[in-house]
Amino acid sequence: VDERFEHDFEFFAAMTVKIIGKDSFQPISFILRTAQRVLLYELEKMRIAGVPIRIVLLKARQWGGSTLVQMYMFWIQQIHKRNWHLAVVAQDDSAAKNISGMYTNAAEYFPKEFGTITFEPYERSPKNRRVKERGGIIGVGSVNNPKQFRSYNYAMAHLSEVGIWEDTPKRSAKELIASLKETVPDIAYSMIVEESTAKGLNYLYDSWKRAKKGDSRYKAVFVPWFKIDRDRISITGDVSKFISTMSEYDWTMWEYGATLEGINWYNKHKKDRYEEADAKNEMFTELQMMQENPCTPEEAFQSAGEKRFNPIYVKAMEQDCRPPIFVGSVRADSTQGEKAFSNIEFVSDLKGK
């Protein structure tokens, strides 16, 4: 069993880790779901390859992405590495404590036959704890107090909900994330995960695009709503009748990989959201539904407007896109008047239009 713990995270999680169930609110064994296995696959590829683990995780609704990240870091600290420090940073102290609380639960219910996990304060800090048996520090904080992380040498950083980290007059979210990431060394088993739901076109969007283009060492990971096991409702009655009434977007979701049971859940959930908003005299739109339950990263990041073209067709057209031959600006003898038509030329400029 000890030997298998080193190589099989799922086995370790099911045997030793307890989490609080979303439905039962009771401690249950941490048995991975489909969506969590999608993320685990990418984490394990990097770990086994012996390269630094770097992930940008774009999340749909709650499916346990943060839980998996935290428990994977817990596994590295408890099984693979000693004195392997971890920083948990969220948008506020409450959210950070909720994430680190998963670690506390895992330690509390850790089976005694496999060892003990004892916390002790680290350098009198109320937010930073040290695991006595393994030496790893768990530092917890928010973007509102970034200085507390700069004095430690962290090997792992869990940056939660970076999509809603706000800029302040004294620092930008981008600069803060960069400074936090600099504390993590580029070595095997080091780990940085930026995770968030999408909130418009911000730092997360830029980081995601860089990862998708291969312009960074980060792996872009997206889990669509139809990979979430609980987002399904069985179809009662005539299935052929259900199929005959499917809308164009229903068929688009089918092409992406949603099951009929998933499409049934999506439409019922959308109806519930409309009714909830109506009861509160609030507005709920198709756009919001797609943002909360995206099929694709593009749906998650869309911030305004309504679709005019089927996304399946748009995605097909994107396959023929290629980089521009030339990037620059148009220049003439003047920017206005008759001379604006004299000596027109293209001037190379990386920021040109």
Side-chain angles (χ1 to χ4, degrees):
V1 169
D2 287 340
E3 182 68 18
R4 188 171 176 182
F5 277 174
E6 291 190 23
H7 306 280
D8 190 342
F9 170 77
E10 281 202 75
F11 179 73
F12 170 83
M15 288 286 286
T16 70
V17 177
K18 297 288 186 182
I19 62 171
I20 304 301
K22 292 185 181 295
D23 299 321
S24 66
F25 303 103
Q26 299 298 317
I28 60 173
S29 296
F30 185 34
I31 297 174
L32 271 61
R33 299 172 178 173
T34 303
Q36 291 168 326
R37 290 191 179 105
V38 172
L39 174 57
L40 177 63
Y41 175 76
E42 301 297 343
L43 293 170
E44 280 291 85
K45 276 204 302 185
M46 294 181 177
R47 182 187 72 85
I48 293 170
V51 300
I53 301 169
R54 302 291 185 265
I55 296 285
V56 179
L57 175 62
L58 176 59
K59 303 191 300 183
R61 296 166 56 252
Q62 293 186 353
W63 51 266
S66 293
T67 303
L68 175 61
V69 169
Q70 195 63 35
M71 292 302 97
Y72 193 83
M73 291 177 168
F74 173 81
W75 178 55
I76 290 176
Q77 281 189 320
Q78 295 305 311
I79 300 298
H80 292 279
K81 295 291 183 179
R82 291 182 177 272
N83 303 313
W84 213 247
H85 307 328
L86 160 65
V88 180
V89 193
Q91 70 271 24
D92 54 50
D93 287 332
S94 176
K97 287 179 181 178
N98 286 339
I99 295 174
S100 69
M102 302 174 193
Y103 205 118
T104 303
N105 287 330
E108 180 181 351
Y109 292 105
F110 196 76
K112 296 298 184 290
E113 58 266 34
F114 298 128
T116 58
I117 300 174
T118 309
F119 293 118
E120 58 185 13
Y122 185 73
E123 293 187 351
R124 300 179 181 179
S125 170
K127 294 182 180 180
N128 299 325
R129 298 177 295 170
R130 180 177 177 271
V131 178
K132 186 176 181 180
E133 293 83 355
R134 304 283 297 181
I137 298 169
I138 299 95
V140 180
S142 73
V143 297
N144 299 318
N145 185 23
K147 292 182 180 179
Q148 71 179 86
F149 297 104
R150 290 174 183 167
S151 60
Y152 304 117
N153 182 25
Y154 289 103
M156 299 185 291
H158 182 179
L159 312 181
S160 179
E161 291 298 341
V162 294
I164 58 175
W165 288 15
E166 296 180 349
D167 294 337
T168 69
K170 294 184 178 181
R171 56 110 181 110
S172 70
K174 184 177 180 179
E175 291 171 349
L176 173 57
I177 293 169
S179 66
L180 289 169
K181 287 159 66 171
E182 285 179 2
T183 67
V184 180
D186 288 335
I187 55 178
Y189 282 90
S190 69
M191 184 170 169
I192 301 175
V193 175
E194 302 175 9
E195 51 93 347
S196 184
T197 50
K199 295 293 182 181
L201 306 183
N202 48 25
Y203 168 82
L204 177 67
Y205 177 75
D206 293 337
S207 183
W208 171 269
K209 293 293 283 185
R210 287 196 302 273
K212 286 294 289 183
K213 290 180 180 179
D215 293 338
S216 74
R217 292 181 301 156
Y218 284 70
K219 173 68 177 181
V221 180
F222 169 71
V223 179
W225 68 263
F226 52 79
K227 292 284 187 181
I228 302 172
D229 295 333
R230 63 192 299 177
D231 290 355
R232 294 167 193 161
I233 296 178
S234 297
I235 298 170
T236 58
D238 189 349
V239 176
S240 60
K241 183 177 180 181
F242 176 87
I243 294 173
S244 67
T245 58
M246 285 171 57
S247 67
E248 184 180 16
Y249 187 68
D250 289 343
W251 283 109
T252 297
M253 291 190 290
W254 171 264
E255 291 292 332
Y256 283 137
T259 63
L260 295 179
E261 291 80 6
I263 295 169
N264 190 32
W265 171 87
Y266 186 93
N267 289 327
K268 289 182 181 297
H269 182 68
K270 180 169 65 173
K271 182 180 179 182
D272 291 343
R273 293 287 281 112
Y274 273 113
E275 290 176 353
E276 290 169 7
D278 189 55
K280 298 177 183 178
N281 291 321
E282 297 176 351
M283 178 71 73
F284 183 75
T285 65
E286 193 86 18
L287 179 68
Q288 287 174 270
M289 183 66 187
M290 290 180 182
Q291 285 178 321
E292 293 176 3
N293 306 279
C295 286
T296 66
E298 290 75 20
E299 287 186 353
F301 282 118
Q302 61 186 342
S303 57
E306 297 294 338
K307 290 186 179 296
R308 288 294 177 266
F309 302 100
N310 188 312
I312 291 287
Y313 303 153
V314 176
K315 199 169 187 66
M317 293 289 287
E318 286 177 351
Q319 296 178 9
D320 294 325
C321 291
R322 65 191 70 184
I325 296 172
F326 182 91
V327 178
S329 301
V330 180
R331 186 172 65 185
D333 288 346
S334 176
T335 58
Q336 57 185 347
E338 290 185 7
K339 290 186 178 180
F341 293 93
S342 300
N343 298 318
I344 297 174
E345 60 179 341
F346 288 114
V347 181
S348 180
D349 180 1
L350 292 179
K351 295 183 179 180
K353 301 185 184 300

